[in-house]
């Protein structure tokens, strides 16, 4: 049984509705609705379990009582209240467990907790295996409150799931994960891969083909220890990616439609450069020469400096560290440090912030950079994990300390968002569909495969860092 003890009531006039009932208050603040002599209360945990916004909750309640919103605000009364939340174990034994926004709080640590990273990774791996369909697919988006999958789709995010499963299977030496990853990659390629002529192949969803989808699909194939099965598709994807290299932009971003070319450049350019970097590092026969990677990298670097965006940072950091590991060129290391340093202030760690939100990446002064999201935090940690490896290899102890602190905080945030046990799934009937997965945010329990994949990939980089030749790095430093 879950109980919520209401306290701290305050009147909320219509003009202050959005200010009091803001998005991040969901799950912490409840709503009391009084009209025509009747008083109803919607607890914070009820709103969390239903994954419903405050305005929608009010509208639903008024519709059930046949009262219009305008009539309610003329004569009704609205109050906000806080609620202490408890889970009562009943026959399970033990004492009450106090919850915060429907979950137990993960404590911060000053340094990276590898056991925490390991639990995060293994939980996601179990979720993937438990939720993989017979055809090999993983759910793209799942709504725990409805107990159903969303009809939405995104090929890039699906291939991220393949990539993450392969890397976890390698670390854990798990045949079950390897077989699941192979089935998932096979499903994704059969569904999305299309030859386009002249030896090229792309990833097609609906009526478009994105550079980023081709690059992430290529990275997933590279992570497959039995990639010979998909060698033809890999070669065709590599040729297609090469065809979008641009002398001015670094990369164009859409194979088709051309009307969308340029969209999502901050994401796709880094994904493509990382595919090139890994192709060079692994010695593929169709990998571009290192000089070509350098030329395109310099164009992307110049464009980013003209208009910086955090979405650019994690993919390009990984690409730069990979290229540095192969070539030893100092400019790759310098730029990885430059963009990682620029990103760090966007990590939130403020006493005024609710404790379950600490460690996420979000700049409230720049909402155009995007909302806070589990997938974003996971992606940023991927880049920072490589930046930490680079800082340690080059003897840059000050940067290493800063990056390790950011990773420890971000890891706490991801573990906080993970459905971990029966305590934070008390309101969910189909627990196996969520255990191990990550909520989009502490106040939004929707699950997406890329949230899980980015978090898993970040945890794996913490558990097994990329190998950077420390002697070469030391010589150059």
């Amino acid at each position: 049984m879950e109980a919520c003890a209401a306290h701290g009531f305050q009147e909320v006039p219509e003009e202050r509705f959005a200010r009091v009932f803001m998005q991040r208050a969901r799950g912490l603040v409840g709503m009391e609705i009084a009209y025509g002599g009747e008083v109803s209360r919607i607890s914070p945990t009820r709103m969390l379990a239903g994954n419903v916004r405050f305005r929608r909750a009010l509208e639903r309640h008024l519709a059930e009582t046949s009262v219009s919103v305008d009539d309610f605000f003329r004569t009704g009364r609205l109050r906000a209240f806080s609620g202490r939340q408890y889970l009562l174990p009943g026959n399970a034994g033990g004492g009450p467990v106090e919850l915060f926004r429907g979950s137990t709080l993960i404590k911060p640590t000053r340094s990276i907790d590898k056991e925490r990273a390991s639990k995060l990774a293994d939980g996601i791996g179990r979720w993937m295996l438990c939720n993989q369909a017979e055809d090999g697919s993983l759910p793209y988006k799942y709504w725990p409150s409805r107990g159903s999958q969303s009809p939405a789709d995104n090929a890039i995010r699906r291939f991220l799931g393949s990539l993450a499963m392969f890397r976890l299977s390698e670390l854990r030496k798990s045949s079950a994960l390897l077989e699941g990853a192979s089935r998932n990659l096979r499903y994704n390629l059969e569904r999305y891969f299309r030859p386009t002529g002249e030896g090229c192949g792309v990833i097609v969803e609906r009526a478009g083909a994105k550079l980023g989808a081709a690059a992430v699909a290529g990275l997933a194939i590279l992570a497959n220890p039995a990639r010979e099965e998909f060698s033809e598709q890999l070669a065709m994807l590599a040729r297609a990616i090469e065809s979008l290299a641009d002398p001015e932009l670094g990369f164009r971003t859409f194979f088709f439609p051309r009307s969308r070319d340029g969209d999502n450049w901050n994401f796709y350019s880094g994904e493509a450069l990382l595919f090139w970097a890994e192709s060079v590092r692994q010695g593929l026969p169709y990998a571009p020469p290192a000089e070509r990677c350098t030329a395109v990298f310099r164009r992307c670097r110049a464009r980013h400096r003209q208009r910086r965006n955090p979405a650019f940072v994690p993919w390009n950091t990984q690409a730069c560290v990979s290229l540095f590991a192969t070539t030893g060129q100092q400019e790759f290391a310098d730029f990885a440090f430059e963009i990682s340093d620029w990103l760090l202030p966007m990590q939130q760690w403020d006493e005024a912030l609710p404790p379950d939100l600490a460690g996420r990446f979000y700049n409230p002064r720049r909402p155009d950079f995007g909302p806070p999201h589990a997938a974003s935090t996971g992606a940023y940690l991927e880049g920072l994990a490589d930046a930490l490896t680079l800082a340690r290899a080059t003897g840059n102890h000050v940067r290493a300390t800063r990056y390790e602190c950011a990773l420890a905080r971000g890891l706490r945030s991801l573990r906080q968002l993970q459905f971990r046990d029966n305590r934070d799934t008390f309101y969910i009937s189909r627990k196996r569909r969520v255990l191990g997965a990550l909520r989009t945010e502490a106040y939004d329990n929707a699950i997406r495969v890329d949230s899980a994949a980015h978090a898993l990939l970040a945890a794996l980089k913490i558990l097994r860092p990329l190998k950077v030749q420390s002697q070469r790095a030391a010589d150059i430093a």
Side-chain angles (χ1 to χ4, degrees):
M1 180 183 295
E2 181 267 333
C4 184
H7 65 93
F9 289 80
Q10 59 172 309
E11 297 274 351
V12 182
E14 183 178 9
E15 62 271 16
R16 295 192 68 242
F17 187 95
R19 186 176 181 84
V20 174
F21 296 118
M22 65 182 72
Q23 176 77 326
R24 78 178 197 186
R26 186 150 47 119
L28 298 178
V29 174
M31 182 184 294
E32 182 185 80
I33 305 166
Y35 184 84
E38 298 290 331
V39 177
S40 298
R41 290 179 187 151
I42 305 175
S43 73
T45 45
R46 180 180 164 192
M47 296 191 65
L48 192 69
N51 211 32
V52 61
R53 295 173 182 263
F54 288 102
R55 174 66 67 169
R56 182 61 178 150
L58 176 62
E59 290 171 349
R60 282 182 181 176
H61 178 81
L62 295 179
E64 290 171 0
T65 55
S66 301
V67 177
S68 72
V69 174
D70 289 340
D71 286 344
F72 170 75
F73 278 113
R74 272 195 295 269
T75 59
R77 187 186 68 175
L78 192 64
R79 292 202 299 173
F81 62 88
S82 299
R84 295 193 68 176
Q85 305 162 18
Y86 298 91
L87 198 61
L88 311 179
N91 293 334
V97 176
E98 186 164 8
L99 305 176
F100 186 90
R101 208 191 310 257
S103 182
T104 51
L105 288 172
I106 297 292
K107 295 180 180 179
T109 58
R110 292 187 176 182
S111 58
I112 294 172
D113 184 342
K114 289 199 172 184
E115 183 181 358
R116 180 169 291 175
S118 185
K119 288 180 178 179
L120 176 68
D122 289 338
I124 295 170
R126 286 192 295 271
W127 173 78
M128 288 177 163
L129 289 178
C130 285
N131 285 272
Q132 189 168 29
E134 290 185 7
D135 61 8
S137 64
L138 292 172
Y140 165 62
K141 186 175 183 179
Y142 181 76
W143 291 310
S145 298
R146 302 183 189 180
S148 63
Q149 289 186 207
S150 164
D153 198 13
N154 185 291
I156 295 178
R157 295 164 184 167
R158 286 188 180 276
F159 279 106
L160 274 171
S162 306
L163 172 62
M165 284 188 84
F166 276 123
R167 289 189 179 169
L168 180 61
S169 71
E170 182 184 5
L171 180 70
R172 296 304 191 213
K173 309 300 181 187
S174 167
S175 58
L177 281 166
L178 177 58
E179 193 271 337
S182 299
R183 290 173 55 224
N184 183 247
L185 177 60
R186 196 173 297 115
Y187 166 86
N188 288 335
L189 287 171
E190 288 175 355
R191 179 172 181 178
Y192 298 109
F193 179 81
R194 299 290 182 272
T196 58
E198 300 182 353
C200 294
V202 298
I203 303 300
V204 179
E205 53 180 320
R206 295 182 290 278
K210 308 167 184 174
L211 170 67
V216 176
L219 287 167
I221 297 174
L222 287 179
N224 182 3
R227 65 186 183 217
E228 313 82 48
E229 179 183 353
F230 309 110
S231 58
E232 183 178 0
Q233 293 97 322
L234 180 59
M236 295 170 77
L237 288 166
R239 293 189 193 100
I241 292 168
E242 168 66 35
S243 74
L244 288 191
D246 185 88
E248 298 296 329
L249 304 174
F251 286 102
R252 293 185 291 109
T253 61
F254 269 77
F255 299 99
F256 56 84
R258 283 299 183 94
S259 60
R260 292 202 62 192
D261 204 13
D263 289 0
N264 294 329
W265 181 87
N266 284 297
F267 293 98
Y268 299 167
S269 65
E271 290 162 355
L273 190 60
L274 178 58
F275 173 75
W276 273 12
E278 287 298 289
S279 298
V280 171
R281 192 169 69 87
Q282 297 186 35
L284 296 188
Y286 35 77
E291 297 77 15
R292 180 146 176 76
C293 291
T294 301
V296 170
F297 153 75
R298 288 171 179 168
R299 296 179 195 120
C300 292
R301 178 180 61 186
R303 190 175 181 190
H304 173 71
R305 284 171 171 170
Q306 290 171 0
R307 190 174 182 179
R308 295 186 184 270
N309 190 294
F312 177 92
V313 174
W315 290 106
N316 281 275
T317 300
Q318 293 175 78
C320 285
V321 175
S322 178
L323 287 167
F324 179 79
T326 304
T327 69
Q329 288 181 225
Q330 186 64 30
E331 61 183 319
F332 293 129
D334 291 343
F335 191 60
F337 290 145
E338 175 186 323
I339 57 180
S340 296
D341 291 349
W342 178 79
L343 177 70
L344 286 183
M346 296 181 200
Q347 187 176 39
Q348 294 189 298
W349 196 262
D350 187 336
E351 291 183 359
L353 199 69
D356 58 340
L357 303 185
R360 68 181 188 175
F361 288 80
Y362 176 58
N363 187 345
R365 296 185 181 88
R366 292 295 304 271
D368 55 307
F369 284 164
H373 198 293
S376 299
T377 297
Y380 295 141
L381 294 192
E382 286 182 75
L384 285 170
D386 277 353
L388 173 61
T389 298
L390 180 63
R392 287 173 171 170
T394 56
N396 197 321
H397 302 299
V398 173
R399 278 197 169 97
T401 299
R402 291 204 301 262
Y403 296 160
E404 181 170 355
C405 179
L407 283 161
R409 291 172 172 180
L411 185 59
R412 190 224 66 83
S413 174
L414 293 178
R415 185 72 170 139
Q416 183 70 56
L417 294 175
Q418 189 171 37
F419 284 108
R420 303 183 302 276
D421 51 43
N422 288 331
R423 293 175 298 179
D424 57 4
T425 59
F426 66 87
Y427 60 89
I428 295 173
S429 57
R430 306 177 69 186
K431 294 185 183 349
R432 73 170 191 85
R433 296 303 304 272
V434 307
L435 279 169
L438 275 73
R439 307 166 181 83
T440 297
E441 247 301 352
Y443 41 75
D444 180 356
N445 64 23
I447 290 170
R448 250 177 32 190
V449 69
D450 59 318
S451 297
H454 278 304
L456 175 52
L457 290 166
L460 294 175
K461 283 180 178 287
I462 290 170
L463 294 170
R464 189 171 64 182
L466 179 72
K467 291 182 180 179
V468 176
Q469 294 296 327
S470 56
Q471 185 57 53
R472 172 187 286 169
D475 291 343
I476 293 171

